[in-house]
């Protein structure tokens, strides 16, 4: 799997937007960009994924650079419940072989201040 | 909302003993996974399972590990002879299909090997 680079930690204030960056300079044309998060003492949780276009869902937005070498997960109004480790993961979208697994890095630990 | 469940939440065992960790994936899902997370470390892929056979396994998943889907609902991970280094959180996950790729994780089983 192609490698991603994320800051070790970020801090935000409650009700403010948060932009979590991810660099993936070796991304291939068939790699989807996935974001998962892990709240304290819980299993990972899917957040969002995209290929080329920006994506929005009820949890977050994903902004993908035009060259796809970086992306940003946007939480529009951070809450205390958003404090978690956020993982940016690349997965080949064509299926088969090693595409079944998720390869987690260390992620970004997001702290949300009240 | 459908969810993945795991039992037990915490298992304590003696080194050398066999343990079985149980998971009930989301009912219409076809792909099943086990991951583990040693305290303070990354989430690591162990094995994926589809159509009643292993699709992929990691180097961690050696002969001491096995998986089974004994009926239409349960998915189990067996460790035949536990070692101290098997102490970790074990997460089960399932997904509806490969192309969509969202994996749903259970809350985990904390395995402590004494």
């Amino acid at each position: 799997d192609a490698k991603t680079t994320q800051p070790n930690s970020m801090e935000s204030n409650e009700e403010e937007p948060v932009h979590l960056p991810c660099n993936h300079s070796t991304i291939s044309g068939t790699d989807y960009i996935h974001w998962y998060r892990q709240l304290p003492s819980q299993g990972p949780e899917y957040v969002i994924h995209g290929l080329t276009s920006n994506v929005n869902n009820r949890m977050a937005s994903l902004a993908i650079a035009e060259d796809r070498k970086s992306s940003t997960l946007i939480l529009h109004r951070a809450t205390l419940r958003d404090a978690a480790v956020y993982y940016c993961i690349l997965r080949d979208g064509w299926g088969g072989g090693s595409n079944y697994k998720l390869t987690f890095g260390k992620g970004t630990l997001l702290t949300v201040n009240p | 909302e459908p969810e993945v469940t795991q039992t037990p939440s915490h298992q304590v065992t003696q080194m050398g003993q066999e343990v079985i960790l149980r998971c009930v994936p989301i009912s219409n899902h076809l792909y099943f996974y086990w991951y583990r997370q040693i305290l303070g470390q990354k989430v690591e892929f162990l094995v994926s399972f589809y159509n009643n056979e292993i699709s992929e396994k990691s180097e961690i998943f050696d002969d001491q590990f096995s998986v089974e889907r004994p009926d239409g609902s349960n998915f189990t991970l067996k460790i035949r002879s536990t070692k101290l280094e098997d102490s970790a959180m074990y997460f089960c996950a399932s997904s509806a299909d490969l192309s969509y790729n969202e994996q749903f994780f259970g809350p985990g089983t904390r395995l402590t090997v004494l």
Side-chain angles (χ1 to χ4, degrees), chain B residues 38-39 44-45 58 66 69 77 84 86 90:
Chain B
I38 296 170
L39 186 64
E44 300 174 291
F45 168 78
S58 71
S66 63
R69 188 153 161 83
L77 174 69
L84 295 175
D86 293 328
Y90 287 80

Side-chain angles (χ1 to χ4, degrees), chain A residues 51-73:
Chain A
L51 182 62
T52 56
S53 304
N54 294 344
V55 185
N56 300 296
N57 67 19
R58 64 177 177 82
M59 289 181 70
S61 296
L62 176 60
I64 301 172
E66 197 168 330
D67 63 4
R68 301 207 328 123
K69 293 183 184 299
S70 66
S71 60
T72 302
L73 179 71

Side-chain angles (χ1 to χ4, degrees), chain B residues 2 15 23 26 28 32 36 40 49 54 63 65-66 75-77 79 82 92 94 99 104 113-114:
Chain B
M15 190 170 55
C23 168
I26 294 173
N28 62 342
F32 313 109
R36 79 171 187 190
F49 191 85
I54 290 174
D63 292 345
F65 291 85
S66 63
F75 180 50
T76 62
L77 174 69
I79 309 175
T82 50
C92 172
S94 68
S99 60
F104 293 81
V113 182
L114 303 175

